[in-house]
Amino acid sequence: MQDITFICCVESGFLESQTVLMVESLRRYGGAYKDLPIIAMTPRFGPPISKLTKEKFKTLGVLHISFRAKNKFSWKAFLNKHYSMAKAEEICDSEFLCWLDSDLLFTGEPTGLFLEEGEDFTACPSDVAGASCGFDDPMDIYWKEVCSIFGIDIESLPWVKAFVEKKDMRFYFNSGIFLYRRETHLSRQHLENTLKFFEAKISS
């Protein structure tokens, strides 16, 4: 079994029950992955999670970490994921980090998370929503603009096949669950790139 730490977000409210249910399903049906460490992050100021959630986390072996990220784009809820993963890179010593959205439900062992030698990252290219399927795709103009921020030629992006539609699309994946080698500092770079993207004020 690979050395993995699972990371998720939790906040006061409906996300508490979702996160607890997700963790319970992993602990019950995760097979070889069921006993791996899990950290639930709360990366911004707000009401505390409930006593019941804290008790559930203790029973399930979940470490809860609350911190206040210096986030000037706090209106963008998804940035909680970026800040949580960047924090995980700082405090974890496991070889791999794996992000889990709270609305996931495990019904079996997630064997697709295994990384072979020479592989640094794995995720699912689930569907074409938001992606570009080529130069004649309406989304291609947007992604050319995004690539230009980072000095990337859009034609250099690899092609992947959407799991749902079975269509080829430019490199794009669903971020509900992904795994990578911590030493790559992928999440730190992802956060920096996302903030740079927001500063550029490009809209789709």
Side-chain angles (χ1 to χ4, degrees):
M1 173 47 56
Q2 293 182 324
D3 181 21
I4 301 170
T5 298
F6 290 111
I7 311 295
C8 60
C9 263
V10 66
E11 290 185 331
S12 175
F14 74 92
L15 200 59
E16 293 182 66
S17 57
Q18 274 196 339
T19 305
V20 168
L21 185 60
M22 181 272 291
V23 173
E24 286 178 335
S25 71
L26 177 59
R27 291 298 193 220
R28 181 172 182 178
Y29 299 110
Y33 296 77
K34 69 183 181 65
D35 295 320
L36 292 175
I38 301 174
I39 301 177
M41 300 277 197
T42 304
R44 62 181 174 183
F45 180 76
I49 62 174
S50 69
K51 181 180 179 182
L52 177 61
T53 298
K54 291 179 180 178
E55 291 174 349
K56 287 277 191 179
F57 280 169
K58 185 176 181 180
T59 300
L60 293 165
V62 176
L63 174 63
H64 177 233
I65 295 178
S66 182
F67 67 100
R68 192 169 185 177
K70 295 180 180 179
N71 179 12
K72 66 178 180 178
F73 299 108
S74 57
W75 50 268
K76 185 64 173 176
F78 289 151
L79 269 176
N80 280 352
K81 176 185 301 186
H82 299 61
Y83 281 106
S84 294
M85 291 302 293
K87 185 72 170 179
E89 286 184 1
E90 295 178 10
I91 65 175
C92 293
D93 58 6
S94 57
E95 185 177 2
F96 304 96
L97 295 177
C98 182
W99 169 263
L100 302 174
D101 269 1
S102 294
D103 60 359
L104 291 171
L105 192 65
F106 290 89
T107 59
E109 184 175 308
T111 53
L113 294 178
F114 192 86
L115 286 179
E116 301 288 352
E117 189 70 28
E119 295 178 340
D120 292 328
F121 174 85
T122 186
C124 179
S126 58
D127 56 59
V128 300
S132 168
C133 293
F135 71 92
D136 57 348
D137 190 307
M139 287 299 295
D140 212 51
I141 297 173
Y142 166 71
W143 284 111
K144 283 180 181 177
E145 289 291 319
V146 173
C147 287
S148 70
I149 298 173
F150 306 103
I152 298 172
D153 179 359
I154 193 170
E155 297 300 335
S156 70
L157 294 178
W159 291 86
V160 293
K161 190 172 292 291
F163 181 79
V164 175
E165 297 90 346
K166 309 301 181 188
K167 292 178 63 176
D168 290 332
M169 61 183 179
R170 300 193 194 275
F171 182 69
Y172 191 79
F173 60 88
N174 183 286
S175 62
I177 178 169
F178 59 88
L179 174 79
Y180 71 98
R181 294 184 190 273
R182 183 176 56 86
E183 65 179 12
T184 64
H185 300 294
L186 181 146
S187 289
R188 183 178 67 189
Q189 188 64 57
H190 189 197
L191 174 59
E192 291 177 5
N193 287 353
T194 302
L195 297 178
K196 184 177 180 180
F197 166 72
F198 283 178
E199 293 283 2
K201 299 180 180 179
I202 292 179
S203 173
S204 61

